[in-house]
Amino acid sequence: MKKGTDTMPKTIACLHAHHSNIEVIEKMLSSHQAELIHFVEPGFDRQKADAHFKPEFIQSKLANTMRWISSCHVDAILVTCTFFTAHLPLMDFSVPIIKIDELLFSQLKAEKKPVILAFTNPQTVDGTMQALAKFDSSIEAKSHLLPNTFHLIMNGKKREYLDAVSQGLAALTKAYPDHVIYAAQLSMADAVVVAREIDGVEVGHYGELVGKGLTE
């Protein structure tokens, strides 16, 4: 976010798709002096199979949500859900918008090896990969879904989710030693930490990018 200084906004609104991301963001930004105001909108995941769930409906709902958040006396909005960022309408908001996946995309441009983006939520994969191609089509990246994992975090089984995702990431790094691996969802950040501690794997995640992105 270009503000002309190295200071972080004083009040940051965080828009999440699931409450579990609140703890992750709080830890990521604990060393920064900023007030975090959290907004959680889980309805999209609950309605994705409904007949009315069309792109225009998604964009209308997100537009209303973003207008409401921007009116709540905040300095910036951090959108932590890649599904949300992929469907944000093209419109001007009264405060700067930081899309968490674009922080990752900027990092990928500096990589010298081909990239694998790991996911747990199958509904997020296509939108993120399309957004990446739109951001910079020269980035060499492919997706990999860790199957049968996302329902764990959605059902509050955090320990089981961490175990399954960390093991999946460790296996992925062994299967693709010539690739750079990134966890492409915020909910995977803690699992990356576990994988590093237990298996010594090198996997990138949003925790290393969010604070930097908010001060640029």
Side-chain angles (χ1 to χ4, degrees), residues 36-209:
L36 303 181
I37 309 297
H38 299 283
F39 296 80
V40 182
E41 178 51 83
F44 286 92
D45 271 316
R46 298 180 64 85
Q47 293 188 7
K48 283 176 181 175
D50 293 353
H52 75 280
F53 203 74
K54 305 295 184 182
E56 57 270 19
F57 170 81
I58 302 169
Q59 291 187 350
S60 175
K61 173 61 177 175
L62 280 174
N64 290 334
T65 299
M66 296 292 284
R67 288 193 192 98
W68 162 244
I69 296 174
S70 63
S71 74
C72 294
H73 308 292
V74 299
D75 298 314
I77 302 175
L78 172 64
V79 184
T80 69
C81 173
T82 52
F83 179 84
F84 291 172
T85 62
H87 292 87
L88 276 180
L90 296 175
M91 59 183 294
D92 292 327
F93 296 101
S94 60
V95 298
I97 308 300
I98 304 100
K99 301 177 182 181
I100 196 168
D101 48 358
E102 290 190 355
L103 302 179
L104 174 60
F105 297 164
S106 296
Q107 177 67 27
L108 298 185
K109 293 180 68 172
E111 294 294 348
K112 304 301 182 184
K113 296 181 179 180
V115 174
I116 293 179
L117 297 182
F119 298 84
T120 61
N121 184 357
Q123 298 285 352
T124 299
V125 179
D126 288 345
T128 300
M129 298 307 293
Q130 290 170 11
L132 174 60
K134 185 180 297 184
F135 181 85
D136 189 334
S137 60
S138 69
I139 297 175
E140 185 180 355
K142 60 183 179 181
S143 64
H144 181 90
L145 179 68
L146 301 179
N148 302 316
T149 52
F150 192 63
H151 72 281
L152 296 172
I153 194 68
M154 294 302 292
N155 291 319
K157 299 179 179 180
K158 183 177 179 179
R159 182 71 258 171
E160 291 90 336
Y161 181 76
L162 290 177
D163 290 342
V165 175
S166 62
Q167 292 170 16
L169 291 173
L172 192 59
T173 59
K174 293 177 182 177
Y176 296 92
D178 56 339
H179 285 65
V180 178
I181 314 294
Y182 278 87
Q185 293 168 220
L186 184 62
S187 65
M188 302 169 70
D190 285 346
V192 172
V193 175
V194 172
R196 286 177 175 177
E197 292 175 348
I198 295 178
D199 298 295
V201 302
E202 289 298 326
V203 177
H205 69 95
Y206 285 117
E208 300 156 333
L209 306 174

